[in-house]
Amino acid sequence: MSERPERPDPIYTQPYDPTLAEKLYNPQKPMENRITDIGPPHYWQFLPPVIQRNYGKWKSHEIIQPGVLKYKAHSGEVVYVVRCGTPRLETTDYVREICEIADKYCDGYVRWTTRNNVEFHVTDEEKLRALLEDLKSRKMPNGAYKFPIGGTGASVTNIVHTQGWIHCHTAAIDASGVVKAIMDELFDYFGSHKLPAQVRLALACCINMCGAVHCSDIAVVGIHRKPPLVEDERLDKVCEIPLVIASCPLGAIKPATVEVAGEKRKSVRVNVDRCMFCGNCYTMCPAMPISDGQGDGLALVVGGKVSNRITPPTFSKVVIPFIPNEPPRWPTAVKWIKKILEIYSQNARKYERVGDWIQRIGWEKFFELTDIPFTWHLIDDYRLAYDTYRTSVHFKFTSHVETVTDFE
Amino acid sequence: MGEVKKHDTPLMDDLKSGPWPSFVDDIYSYAERHKKQACFDILGQMELSYKNKETHWKHGGIVGVFGYGGGVIGRYSDQQEKFPAIWAFHTVRVNQPAAKWYHTSALRKLCDMWDHRGSGIMNLHGSTGDIILLGTVTEQLEYIFYDLGHQLKMDLGGSGSNLRTPECCMGMSRCEWSCIDTQDIVYELTMAFQDELHRPAFPYKFKIKVSGCPNDCVAAIARADFSVIGTWRDRIKIDQEAVRAYVGGELKPNAGAHSDRDWGPFDIKKEVIDLCPTKCMFWDEGQRKLYINDAECNRCMHCINVMPEALWPGDDRGAVILMGAKAPILEGAQLSTVIIPFMKLEPPYDNLKNLLYKVWDYWMEHGKNRERLGETIQRIGLNRFIVDVLGIKPIPQHVKEPRSNPYIFWKEEEVEGGWTRDVAEFRKRHPA
């Protein structure tokens, strides 16, 4: 077992010195004063004393109200946890406000969850009540809650998401703005326990999918729909042509010699009929931009999950192949997400995740209940597509089925 | 600090309203208070993206700190004249403490550093788990690195074709179900593999994630090339008194997770026994006693989730080791595959480290450029990977079902008499 530092390193209470690095770093001698490979701070020093005392000795937990958990240890000690949503994309001032709250109520200890929620820990009920009141009262200049309480139990918890247009060069959609628009609309589901089970939302701004979008109850993924441009005049200077060709999973890129301003140059050509718009070529080659305001947008995928509970972990499936980008609030995407969520809520049984519910009723029933049009785009034609074909006569007669009498 | 230039951003401003915390309101408040041009410019450029529906970041950019091959993501604006304060807007990934616990003294100091050396904008946290410091210029990178090392005792996380920052669930710090010490395992592995984390030598990225139980709160099975998921192999522990309290309605099922809807009184048969995937449970109404046939249990956690005051994982605890998960790029999404059904995990976790070294040795030699481990396994076949590469005995737990085709790649040594045959002898028996 690694050695456990009991208390936060005293270095953290020494004020930040903005001039120190300039004194220590010498560009002429880059190894001078260089500290490398020290790894992250040891986690133990950041655990509140009550957590240290009961580490590995917890007995049970209870959600006493949405967003508030109570943990009981075998020792008899108790800790209350208040969970709050955050935008994830935030400033140091927002983080300092979290610090101010944690200093006031939690002796300076605070934790974040995997899904971008922040958690405050207290050990008595009086402090808990004061903390809850305080958190509810904190608003942003235009009225948004700074620290909405929720994200526990049968709720829609915070959306795992990527960078989008604030930082990513391959993004087909924005991330933080779409998340804000969705969570504003589903706000009531964040702070309540009225769904049949927890619903995990996720968003990835392109199909690289930084985040578990492919195993979420309902998720948004940014997609492109136009083949990459090929900049002949730049390509051989900035790209390794064999790597570009190898990067295409469908072998749609071949080498070509082209004439640019009377000069023979090496470049590539794309067989557009074979392009599935994955953008992997652009990742390998800056001279093949794929983003396009008209072509790009998002797909909705549903029915995936990560947990092994009752049924095994499952991939999400595409149910809406394309919705255009509609900044700033993406109303069509938000409308469909809310509709899917509410139809699920009305029809699923207790404990049934979105995917479990759809498995029980059948996909044909899902499309009928949600009024989502079923089109050819939804029938898989990539790797392992055959596994998704219906190879039995077990199906339901939904409104999709037309009785065939004559066939010409 | 001189005068700052503000941009007209009606589309971004629309995202200030509504109840969910607004990053736009936050960034503008910060920009005004600190007079930070980069914050006005980043929202200005985002406004342009909202108008054009396209990103305005140039492709890539290789930047970093001396001696490291990752941890910094280079980013340059393609609108440098309009938004000069973000002409470069690099991201710094900082390795988070395990399970994302902090003391405010460390966070405040990190914030002070980032005000001074960057945009003041960050992510808590990135998808892989790192603290993300969003937006600085190339000249600041070495100073940031020196500040992290000397004043914050922090280090960079992973990026590029290397080990990415390992991540775990909250584990034993708060959860009664954690069968392994997820935080200690992640800390130990991160410290042991600093070289793999900072100096790219792999065919592509490699992610390690550690969850304490099959609920898998860090999505290890969906996201990690190397997924460690806690489990147990003895009997579920039962407090029959507490089971009766659930049946009698004194305790709320699922810890109160369904409290805002009337689902009727708790029905143990309907809500637990009948939903058990292996049907290994029995509620004896006469005896008022719960029976579990543990040998049939597949440890899905449902009954334990529903009755946390009455049931717990057993005492013979360890982990399932699975490998190969990834997002769809390129050959399609993959979930991790069971490789070792049960591994005891005790400090210093040498068995886990040795397994990782064995996997990396093979993958570094035989993996193709930008081929994730899961794709390598698919290409060579799971059977070859477990038997020939790892030297593990194949067992039914490795598959959902055996193959349905008989196209088996027999090895010559398995076939009596080998493959060398005499055609003349054959024709003596079978004239053409």
Side-chain angles (χ1 to χ4, degrees):
Chain A
M1 172 105 42
S2 51
E3 202 181 317
R4 293 169 160 183
E6 287 293 316
R7 292 286 166 265
D9 196 304
I11 199 170
Y12 297 122
T13 49
Q14 295 164 20
Y16 170 66
D17 177 357
T19 65
L20 186 68
E22 275 83 352
K23 289 175 202 152
L24 295 174
Y25 172 62
N26 176 358
Q28 265 65 56
K29 295 180 184 164
M31 284 312 288
E32 202 173 271
N33 298 317
R34 180 168 295 269
I35 299 175
T36 71
D37 300 279
I38 58 170
H42 197 286
Y43 60 94
W44 192 263
Q45 65 187 312
F46 296 143
L47 300 179
V50 63
I51 299 291
Q52 288 183 353
R53 284 195 298 274
N54 297 292
Y55 193 88
K57 292 178 266 183
W58 295 100
K59 181 171 181 282
S60 63
H61 72 279
E62 185 191 336
I63 314 170
I64 57 177
Q65 67 187 67
V68 184
L69 298 128
K70 179 184 181 182
Y71 288 83
K72 285 183 282 187
H74 287 290
S75 66
E77 284 197 287
V78 164
V79 65
Y80 297 93
V81 180
V82 180
R83 184 175 291 171
C84 302
T86 76
R88 186 183 89 120
L89 174 61
E90 56 216 21
T91 67
T92 52
D93 278 358
Y94 182 84
V95 176
R96 279 195 193 87
E97 191 161 342
I98 289 171
C99 292
E100 178 204 321
I101 298 165
D103 283 345
K104 190 168 172 191
Y105 300 96
C106 318
D107 300 318
Y109 296 94
V110 62
R111 173 182 184 259
W112 271 261
T113 71
T114 307
R115 306 191 77 88
N116 313 320
N117 297 309
V118 64
E119 292 183 329
F120 299 101
H121 299 70
V122 294
T123 47
D124 71 82
E125 288 190 49
E126 204 175 314
K127 260 195 182 163
L128 172 66
R129 275 191 293 274
L131 171 63
L132 289 170
E133 282 315 303
D134 188 343
L135 289 168
K136 281 180 211 158
S137 73
R138 290 177 191 256
K139 298 269 185 80
M140 291 185 156
N142 287 279
Y145 286 97
K146 277 184 176 161
F147 305 106
I149 299 162
T152 54
S155 69
V156 170
T157 190
N158 206 344
I159 303 181
V160 167
H161 61 278
T162 57
Q163 298 292 10
W165 291 332
I166 193 117
H167 198 251
C168 188
H169 67 160
T170 67
I173 59 173
D174 187 31
S176 303
V178 190
V179 165
K180 162 75 174 150
I182 296 168
M183 288 310 287
D184 275 344
E185 193 64 29
L186 303 183
F187 190 72
D188 194 30
Y189 291 100
F190 178 78
S192 64
H193 288 161
K194 54 191 179 187
L195 294 167
Q198 68 266 48
V199 175
R200 298 285 184 249
L201 266 54
L203 179 144
C205 53
C206 81
I207 55 168
N208 280 327
M209 288 200 196
C210 314
V213 162
H214 57 300
C215 294
S216 299
D217 292 281
I218 305 175
V220 172
V221 53
I223 58 161
H224 307 286
R225 292 185 308 159
K226 293 191 186 184
L229 295 163
V230 180
E231 284 178 281
D232 288 334
E233 56 278 14
R234 247 182 109 217
L235 196 135
D236 62 348
K237 288 191 206 135
V238 294
C239 310
E240 294 262 7
I241 290 175
L243 285 182
V244 180
I245 291 163
S247 76
C248 180
L250 293 173
I253 301 175
K254 58 179 187 194
T257 305
V258 295
E259 226 177 81
V260 179
E263 198 189 332
K264 283 222 163 26
R265 299 278 292 271
K266 290 214 156 58
S267 185
V268 299
R269 284 294 171 264
V270 179
N271 179 350
V272 295
D273 295 332
R274 289 172 83 169
C275 180
M276 62 172 186
F277 319 100
C278 71
N280 203 43
C281 51
Y282 179 62
T283 298
M284 297 307 288
C285 174
M288 297 183 74
I290 190 164
S291 286
D292 185 277
Q294 290 174 312
D296 297 350
L298 58 93
L300 284 189
V301 298
V302 311
K305 74 182 184 92
V306 162
S307 157
N308 284 270
R309 184 173 182 173
I310 305 178
T311 53
T314 320
F315 291 129
S316 320
K317 324 286 181 202
V318 180
V319 293
I320 300 185
F322 182 74
I323 298 172
N325 270 315
E326 299 170 314
R329 290 223 166 236
W330 281 266
T332 309
V334 171
K335 181 196 80 178
W336 279 114
I337 290 167
K338 192 170 187 186
K339 181 158 187 186
I340 293 166
L341 182 75
E342 293 189 333
I343 301 265
Y344 154 74
S345 182
Q346 288 155 19
N347 289 278
R349 295 175 182 165
K350 191 178 176 185
Y351 306 115
E352 245 174 9
R353 296 285 292 267
V354 172
D356 296 332
W357 162 62
I358 298 172
Q359 277 306 314
R360 176 169 59 80
I361 64 170
W363 282 97
E364 63 273 36
K365 209 78 189 171
F366 168 83
F367 283 99
E368 186 173 67
L369 284 168
T370 53
D371 287 322
I372 295 174
F374 190 90
T375 62
W376 69 268
H377 313 87
L378 303 180
I379 298 177
D380 197 354
D381 48 14
Y382 195 52
R383 315 263 197 264
L384 309 175
Y386 175 80
D387 290 354
T388 65
Y389 301 169
R390 193 178 305 262
T391 51
S392 76
V393 293
H394 296 181
F395 56 81
K396 295 177 182 176
F397 283 112
T398 57
S399 53
H400 303 93
V401 181
E402 291 168 19
T403 299
V404 176
T405 47
D406 300 319
F407 192 91
E408 284 172 33
Chain B
M1 254 172 266
E3 266 309 289
V4 289
K5 184 168 175 264
K6 297 173 191 178
H7 307 282
D8 195 24
T9 59
L11 295 169
M12 298 312 299
D13 294 348
D14 192 76
L15 292 170
K16 290 176 178 173
S17 63
W20 189 252
S22 166
F23 68 96
V24 179
D25 236 356
D26 177 34
I27 294 175
Y28 267 132
S29 302
Y30 178 88
E32 295 282 358
R33 195 171 309 134
H34 297 260
K35 299 274 173 272
K36 270 246 164 111
Q37 188 61 50
C39 294
F40 288 111
D41 279 2
I42 190 78
L43 289 176
Q45 180 173 308
M46 258 186 114
E47 177 77 13
L48 196 63
S49 281
Y50 271 48
K51 259 188 229 157
N52 299 340
K53 303 174 186 179
E54 288 172 4
T55 185
H56 281 289
W57 297 107
K58 289 189 182 187
H59 186 284
I62 306 281
V63 289
V65 300
F66 186 82
Y68 278 20
V72 185
I73 319 296
R75 199 59 83 224
Y76 297 94
S77 171
D78 69 12
Q79 303 292 316
Q80 301 184 349
E81 284 186 14
K82 266 193 201 130
F83 309 112
I86 57 162
W87 71 274
F89 201 72
H90 310 319
T91 285
V92 181
R93 291 185 182 165
V94 179
N95 197 148
Q96 82 287 1
K100 308 182 181 87
W101 289 91
Y102 295 91
H103 191 264
T104 53
S105 54
L107 276 177
R108 284 177 192 279
K109 198 166 179 182
L110 184 68
C111 289
D112 291 346
M113 187 281 282
W114 192 234
D115 285 345
H116 180 60
R117 303 217 178 266
S119 70
I121 300 172
M122 59 200 293
N123 291 147
L124 290 170
H125 295 81
S127 291
T128 297
D130 297 283
I131 302 165
I132 305 288
L133 304 177
L134 213 56
T136 192
V137 292
T138 314
E139 301 83 83
Q140 287 290 348
L141 294 174
E142 287 293 351
Y143 298 130
I144 290 167
F145 185 66
Y146 271 65
D147 279 347
L148 288 173
H150 287 271
Q151 300 201 62
L152 288 148
K153 294 198 180 174
M154 291 182 188
D155 202 345
L156 299 184
S159 70
S161 292
N162 63 5
L163 173 63
R164 299 302 182 86
T165 310
E167 190 188 18
C168 63
C169 70
M170 65 176 168
M172 293 186 168
S173 66
R174 231 173 59 204
C175 185
E176 67 267 29
W177 299 326
S178 195
C179 296
I180 48 176
D181 192 344
T182 62
Q183 285 167 275
D184 199 56
I185 293 165
V186 156
Y187 182 76
E188 277 283 343
L189 295 185
T190 308
M191 297 309 282
F193 301 132
Q194 284 291 298
D195 194 37
E196 285 78 2
L197 212 154
H198 293 137
R199 290 164 200 94
F202 290 158
Y204 202 11
K205 63 181 92 167
F206 192 93
K207 300 187 179 186
I208 300 176
K209 294 194 192 293
V210 183
S211 276
C213 84
N215 283 333
D216 195 2
C217 289
V218 287
I221 204 166
R223 302 195 289 164
D225 301 85
F226 193 90
S227 320
V228 180
I229 299 179
T231 195
W232 67 97
R233 65 179 298 172
D234 56 344
R235 309 189 64 170
I236 291 177
K237 292 190 269 191
I238 309 178
D239 176 347
Q240 296 287 355
E241 198 63 43
V243 176
R244 286 190 281 275
Y246 279 106
V247 174
E250 294 139 53
L251 290 170
K252 290 176 282 181
N254 217 99
H258 300 267
S259 60
D260 289 325
R261 186 147 148 191
D262 183 10
W263 292 94
F266 177 66
D267 179 341
I268 192 170
K269 177 149 191 329
K270 194 170 129 202
E271 297 185 37
V272 181
I273 312 293
D274 291 352
L275 293 181
C276 171
T278 63
K279 305 283 176 272
C280 71
M281 306 181 81
F282 174 68
W283 169 247
D284 189 324
E285 188 60 50
Q287 285 184 32
R288 300 192 65 71
K289 198 172 169 192
L290 179 69
Y291 291 91
I292 302 175
N293 182 358
D294 288 273
E296 295 301 314
C297 171
N298 67 6
R299 300 165 318 284
C300 86
M301 294 290 296
H302 175 65
C303 58
I304 297 174
N305 286 324
V306 175
M307 301 192 286
E309 303 279 352
L311 304 177
W312 297 270
D315 287 322
D316 186 7
R317 296 175 174 195
V320 189
I321 313 296
L322 309 94
M323 296 183 202
K326 56 179 282 295
I329 241 2
L330 280 166
E331 296 295 317
Q334 286 179 217
L335 290 160
S336 273
T337 297
V338 172
I339 301 293
I340 297 188
F342 195 66
M343 188 182 237
K344 283 290 202 184
L345 292 179
E346 302 296 338
Y349 316 107
D350 283 341
N351 49 0
L352 205 54
K353 291 175 194 166
N354 290 340
L355 177 61
L356 274 159
Y357 280 126
K358 206 162 187 179
V359 170
W360 288 338
D361 273 353
Y362 181 83
W363 183 52
M364 285 165 75
E365 193 175 337
H366 299 278
K368 294 182 184 172
N369 182 37
R370 280 167 58 79
E371 183 178 65
R372 294 283 289 269
L373 176 65
E375 290 163 331
T376 308
I377 296 173
Q378 270 216 45
R379 179 163 55 81
I380 67 167
L382 176 67
N383 46 12
R384 278 173 206 79
F385 182 71
I386 54 177
V387 177
D388 301 342
V389 177
L390 299 178
I392 292 171
K393 195 175 118 196
I395 54 176
Q397 282 79 355
H398 285 127
V399 292
K400 278 186 211 141
E401 58 188 27
R403 68 195 306 155
S404 50
N405 64 70
Y407 302 142
I408 297 160
F409 292 94
W410 292 100
K411 293 173 183 160
E412 184 171 10
E413 61 269 26
E414 289 181 303
V415 182
E416 296 77 2
W419 289 347
T420 311
R421 289 190 285 166
D422 185 342
V423 70
E425 281 298 313
F426 181 85
R427 282 294 163 230
K428 273 188 205 160
R429 300 197 302 275
H430 305 285

